[in-house]
Structure formats: structure tokens, C-alpha cells
């Protein structure tokens, strides 16, 4: 039986991340980057696909308790046994080049026998490395990968069943520290780190970072935890932020809606900038803005919906046949074919992000306006095309209303920039005319007057939760009857258990996929925002309280939630969900609207 998705906690070093279960097992880790092949892939298979469990000997189940150290990404997992109690502290200290996974076992009471089982499997759980002793350590090598394991002090360790086992006993006040270090196999072993010093400095660094948070309203702990999670999902060398550190966690258990989210999406750009800037993290916001500018540079016709950690464009999708999938949810996918889709909304996201960065006073770049003009030039000739839309549907292109609203956003922000700064050069008259034409078309073709709601696409009766963003984007004022009607219609028709689906999957006519999916947590936060904007603050706060209550025991959210089964679904933890939590908290309690 697979643990529930919400049974995992996250640790990371801002270049990759690991998931640690309640049973003390690290079941997912890609080295050396978020998008590298996993060396622990039990999450998407079984124990033979790689994991590392440390727990009291003979104890098979979950821990007694666990928690992050306050305002850090350092995880403490504790067990109470008949003979005593232990704590396992897990972290990945920030690195210069080579990643380290540190696991420190400390005795709290009595004496406890502890067992470690390390089962390394490179290339997404498929390759058994050659393990040998070297310099008193264990080193595993296969192809380009080498991993070193050591303990301080040294403990009894042996190989068995293609795994590395250790057993030892810790008493009160004693500790044993394990360090797992990766490096390219053709290079020499990197310098050793001091695991206890790494723990001390990691706690200190995370707390100093968290202390910069300006938000001081209700649920501050949840907001700070979400910001720490977003920081952990940042690829520090470039500033890019991955949507999630995992691939193929299912949107329906046993289904095929399983995607690779270890990349950076443009759709998140404005929301990310808004959250970071409003919470007080200007350096991180600037790094994300700069990543965005590098990624989109080039021919505007080639603008993609997502990029790799460094702005890589080719993210070919293939299926990993040897992994059975989370709870038999197949296929397991690596890469993302949606990278080749046309999504007009990303042009609006990029230009809106640049407008937000300019308004926030981020240091300007000489080429920023030239990029925006190039994007607008292409968009003015191509905005009438159908596209795949915000949700990357695979059922064919349509005239999605949200995409057209984002086209309007692009034109509106470009016009405003010229009006506010006459020194800038651009097609003011043409972009104004485009803005007005898009607005008229959306209100005529994307609105159902009989039901008083905007629709998912032109001529459709279906709805889309992205329509909740209309007032936030400024397309119509929040008191417009069409906005209020749309919010009510989305809540009524896409609501499920008090939360919101992205769109209807009945018949799979839109996304071209069989099966169903859970409620989408980011969209549920958008509903709270829309309720606040349309004059229903009590309902907004009630929904926000419920959403915060869905975080797992260490404050993390997946992409989706099943209100019937009461479990998380989709990739985990999900940046989009945590962005929603931060931005909604700021909108409800922060005194200013983020994003």
C-alpha cells in the first residue's frame, strides 16, 4: 500500500528536493537537480525502485510525531518505543556544487536499536549501482552517477539483497549522523561536510529568511510555511521556480492524468511576483523576473508555456514503463508534451509580470520594453487563433475565454505603460484598438446572457474556474453583474464539497482524457478571492479557513483534493496551491491585494 500523498514532507537545498514519509523513508529524490532522474523512486513504484528508511528496529509503521523546526525546512521525526525514544532529523543543506542528504539520529530517552536500509536505484529506479568500500565509506557507482555514504561515528554496515544496511543503538544524548553525497562519477569525491554544523547553519539560515516575511495577519504560520515551500521549489542558480518537485502523482488514483511538473510555468509568473513582493522578498522576485526575461528571449512566435530550470526549451515526454505508478496510476511520465502547445494567455502573463515588476520598483533592464513590444507585435497579428488554454487540454484547440482575457491584459498593460511613460515607443493607437476589440469580442462571444455568466470558450455552455480571475485582472469591475453572475455560476456548477474543480470532465470532451480529477486547490483560493472582491468577505474567510485546514500535518498542499475520500491528489507539494494560500491571505488580511 502506498502512503497517502499528504503523508510526505519536503526537504531540499534549492536545487533539488526529497520526500520523506511518516515511516522515516525517503521515497523520492532526483539528483543532482529537480529534473534529474530519481535515485529513490519508491513513490512511483515499490521499495525495489529505491528508498532510504531509518527507524527503530522492528517498527514498520508510522512515526509517533513529526514536525518542521519552526520557520525552517529541517524535519524532525520522532518514535516512542518500549525501550525509549529517538528523533531522526532530515535536511539538505545549501550547497556550492554537490548535493548532500543529511540524516541525524538522536537518542531522546532510554536505549533504542535503530536500523537503516538504503536502496539506491539510479535512472528512475531502474539501475542497481555497484557498491564498494572506499576510504572507510560506501560508494555506489553506475554510469554517470556516484553516491557516497558515511556515518559519524561509524556504525555496523553491510550489503544484503542489493541494499546497504546499518544497525546501531543510541541512548539518551547520543547521536549518529549519516551523510549521502552525490557527484559525477568521473570526478573525485567532493569535500566532506560536517553534518552537525550543516544542521546548525541550515536552521539559522532558514529562520533568518523566514523573519523577512512582512505578513503578520491570521494564519501567519501557514503563510510562512507556504513561502518556505516556494523558496524550496526555487532553483537557486537561475531563479526559476518549479511547479512541483515530483512527476506523475495522479489527479485520480488509478487514472492516467499523471504529468511531470518539475519545470517552470509562465502561467505562475504574475502570481509568483505578487506573492514574493507583497510578502517582502524582493531579491527572490527579481531573480524570478530575470529568469522569466531570459526564458522568453527570442522570437515571440516561439514563446512556450513552460521551460526547464535554466530556461531549456526541449522537454520531450516519454513513459517510464518499469515503474508501476503511484497506487498503480499509469503511465509514469518524464518530460511534458504540453511544452509544444499554443497558449495565448502566457503573453498576457509575461507582460502583466513586467508591469507588476515596474510598479514595484524592481531594477529595470534596458531590453525589457523591447521584449514586450516584440510580444505585442506578434500577439496583435495572432490573438484571434484558438489555443489549448490555461489548463493545457489535449482535446483540441478552442477559443478559450480566459486566453482572450489574458490577451486583453497584455494590450491593457502595454497601453498603460505608454500612457504612464511618454518616452517609451510603441503602437499606442493600435494597441488601444486591439484592447477594445478583444474586450467587445469576449463580452459578446464568451458571455451567456441567459445564465448571466462567462463561459469556458466561445459558444460553449461549460464553465472554467479561471473565469474567477476576471475582476482581479481588471477586465471588469467586481461589482459588474456579469462578474457576480460568473462567480455564482462557477461555485454552483464546478463546486464539489465546498471546493472548486477547474472545469467539467464529463465526457472528457475538452481535455481529451478519460477519467476524472479532484478539486483544484488554486482555483478554490481564487473563489475565496472572488468572494472577497464581490462583497462577501465572511464567505471568503470561511472558505480560506477550510483551505488552510486542508494542509497536511507539516503545512503542505498538493495540486488537488478529493473531498469525498478526504485525500490529496496530484503532484506534491504544488507551488500553485501555495501561491494561492499566500495571495489569498494577503488579499483578505494583508491590507493590499497581491498579484
Amino acid at each position: 500500500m502506498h502512503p497517502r500523498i499528504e503523508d510526505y514532507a519536503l526537504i531540499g537545498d534549492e536545487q533539488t528536493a526529497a520526500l520523506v514519509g511518516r515511516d522515516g523513508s525517503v521515497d523520492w529524490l532526483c539528483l543532482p537537480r529537480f529534473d534529474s532522474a530519481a535515485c529513490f523512486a519508491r513513490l512511483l513504484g515499490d521499495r525495489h525502485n529505491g528508498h532510504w528508511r531509518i527507524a527503530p528496529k522492528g517498527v514498520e509503521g508510522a512515526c509517533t510525531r513529526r514536525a518542521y523546526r519552526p520557520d525552517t525546512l529541517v524535519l524532525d521525526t520522532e518514535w516512542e518505543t518500549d525501550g525509549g525514544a529517538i528523533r531522526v532529523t532530515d535536511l539538505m543543506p545549501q550547497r556550492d556544487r554537490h548535493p548532500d542528504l543529511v540524516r541525524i539520529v538522536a537518542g531522546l530517552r532510554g536505549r533504542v536499536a535503530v536500523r537503516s536500509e538504503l536502496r539506491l536505484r539510479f535512472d528512475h529506479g531502474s539501475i542497481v549501482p555497484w557498491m564498494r568500500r572506499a576510504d572507510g565509506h560506501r560508494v555506489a557507482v553506475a554510469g554517470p552517477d556516484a553516491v557516497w555514504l558515511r556515518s559519524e561515528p561509524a556504525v555496523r554496515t553491510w550489503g544484503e539483497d542489493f541494499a546497504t544496511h546499518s544497525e546501531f543503538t543510541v541512548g539518551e544524548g547520543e547521536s549518529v549522523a549519516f551523510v549521502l553525497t552525490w557527484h559525477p562519477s568521473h570526478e573525485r569525491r567532493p569535500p566532506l561536510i560536517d553534518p552537525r554544523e550543516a544542521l546548525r547553519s541550515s536552521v539559522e539560515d532558514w529562520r533568518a529568511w523566514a523573519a523577512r516575511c512582512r505578513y503578520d495577519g491570521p494564519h501567519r504560520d501557514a503563510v510562512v510555511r507556504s513561502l518556505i515551500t516556494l523558496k524550496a521549489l526555487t532553483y537557486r542558480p537561475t531563479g526559476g521556480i518549479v511547479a512541483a518537485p515530483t512527476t506523475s502523482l495522479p489527479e485520480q488514483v488509478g487514472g492516467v492524468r499523471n504529468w511531470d511538473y518539475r519545470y517552470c510555468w509562465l502561467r505562475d509568473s504574475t502570481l509568483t511576483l505578487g506573492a514574493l513582493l507583497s510578502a517582502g522578498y524582493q531579491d527572490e522576485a527579481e531573480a524570478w523576473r530575470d529568469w522569466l526575461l531570459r526564458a522568453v528571449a527570442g522570437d515571440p512566435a516561439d514563446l512556450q508555456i513552460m521551460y526547464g530550470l535554466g530556461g531549456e526549451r526541449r522537454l520531450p515526454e516519454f513513459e517510464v514503463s518499469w515503474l508501476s505508478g503511484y497506487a498503480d496510476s499509469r503511465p509514469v511520465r518524464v518530460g511534458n508534451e504540453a511544452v509544444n502547445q499554443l497558449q495565448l494567455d502566457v503573453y498576457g502573463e509575461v507582460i502583466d509580470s513586467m508591469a507588476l515588476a515596474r510598479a514595484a520598483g524592481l531594477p529595470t533592464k534596458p531590453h525589457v520594453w523591447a521584449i514586450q513590444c516584440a510580444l505585442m507585435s506578434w500577439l496583435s497579428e495572432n490573438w484571434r487563433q484558438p489555443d489549448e488554454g490555461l489548463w493545457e487540454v489535449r482535446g483540441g484547440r478552442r477559443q478559450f475565454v480566459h486566453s482572450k482575457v489574458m490577451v486583453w491584459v497584455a494590450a491593457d498593460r502595454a497601453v498603460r505603460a505608454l500612457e504612464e511613460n511618454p518616452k517609451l515607443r510603441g503602437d499606442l493607437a493600435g494597441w488601444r484598438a486591439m484592447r477594445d476589440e478583444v474586450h467587445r469580442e469576449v463580452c459578446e462571444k464568451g458571455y451567456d446572457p441567459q445564465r448571466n455568466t462567462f463561459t469556458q470558450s466561445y459558444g460553449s455552455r461549460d464553465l472554467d474556474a479561471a473565469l474567477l480571475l476576471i475582476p482581479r485582472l481588471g477586465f471588469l469591475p467586481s461589482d459588474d453583474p456579469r462578474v457576480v453572475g460568473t462567480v455564482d455560476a462557477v461555485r454552483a456548477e464546478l463546486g464539489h464539497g465546498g471546493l472548486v474543480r477547474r472545469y467539467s470532465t464529463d465526457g472528457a470532451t475538452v481535455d481529451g482524457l478519460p477519467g476524472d480529477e479532484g478539486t483544484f486547490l488554486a482555483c478554490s483560493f481564487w473563489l475565496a478571492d472572488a468572494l472577497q472582491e464581490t462583497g462577501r468577505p465572511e464567505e471568503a474567510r470561511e472558505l480560506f479557513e477550510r483551505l488552510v485546514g486542508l494542509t497536511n500535518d507539516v503545512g503542505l498542499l498538493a495540486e488537488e483534493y478529493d473531498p469525498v475520500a478526504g485525500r490529496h491528489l496530484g503532484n506534491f507539494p504544488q507551488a500553485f496551491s501555495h501561491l494561492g494560500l499566500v495571495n489569498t491571505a494577503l488579499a483578505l488580511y494583508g491590507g493590499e491585494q497581491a498579484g
Side-chain angles (χ1 to χ4, degrees), residues 189-350:
R189 185 194 70 192
L192 304 181
I193 67 165
D194 180 333
R196 294 169 180 84
E197 172 58 24
L199 170 60
R200 185 201 64 77
S201 61
S202 291
V203 169
E204 183 178 282
D205 290 346
W206 276 111
R207 287 179 175 164
W209 188 85
R212 292 164 48 197
C213 176
R214 289 203 303 241
Y215 177 77
D216 197 27
H219 297 293
R220 186 179 190 278
D221 288 347
V223 171
V224 171
R225 177 53 52 197
S226 291
L227 289 166
I228 288 174
T229 304
L230 293 170
K231 178 71 167 172
L233 298 180
T234 301
Y235 186 64
R236 185 161 48 95
T238 66
I241 301 175
V242 296
T246 56
T247 178
S248 301
L249 289 178
E251 297 171 10
Q252 180 183 38
V253 175
V256 300
R257 297 168 180 263
N258 319 316
W259 315 108
D260 193 345
Y261 275 18
R262 299 172 300 152
Y263 308 111
C264 308
W265 265 256
L266 297 193
R267 73 178 184 191
D268 303 354
S269 58
T270 305
L271 296 172
T272 302
L273 274 175
L276 293 172
L277 288 168
S278 295
Y281 293 98
Q282 181 161 324
D283 290 345
E284 287 75 11
E286 186 175 349
W288 168 249
R289 190 275 311 268
D290 290 349
W291 174 90
L292 185 65
L293 288 172
R294 294 191 301 270
V296 306
D299 188 338
D302 297 331
L303 189 67
Q304 298 183 176
I305 67 168
M306 72 182 83
Y307 296 86
L309 305 177
E312 299 89 348
R313 292 173 177 259
R314 298 190 185 277
L315 310 174
E317 180 179 305
F318 61 93
E319 297 180 4
V320 181
S321 59
W322 57 86
L323 289 176
S324 59
Y326 175 87
D328 294 320
S329 303
R330 296 184 179 91
V332 171
R333 293 181 172 95
V334 170
N336 202 309
E337 191 176 275
V339 72
N340 298 313
Q341 291 186 350
L342 172 65
Q343 291 183 23
L344 295 173
D345 63 285
V346 298
Y347 291 84
E349 290 288 356
V350 172

Side-chain angles (χ1 to χ4, degrees), residues 54 56 67 85 95 125-126 167 208 238 248 279 327 414 439 500 525 577:
I54 298 179
R95 51 166 144 148
S126 66
E167 282 191 6
T238 66
S248 301
H439 199 279
V500 180
F525 283 111
S577 300

Side-chain angles (χ1 to χ4, degrees), residues 447-459:
Y447 174 71
D448 182 345
Q450 293 182 337
R451 295 155 65 211
N452 188 30
T453 181
F454 287 95
T455 59
Q456 184 178 49
S457 59
Y458 291 175

Side-chain angles (χ1 to χ4, degrees), residues 99 106 539 594:
E539 294 178 56

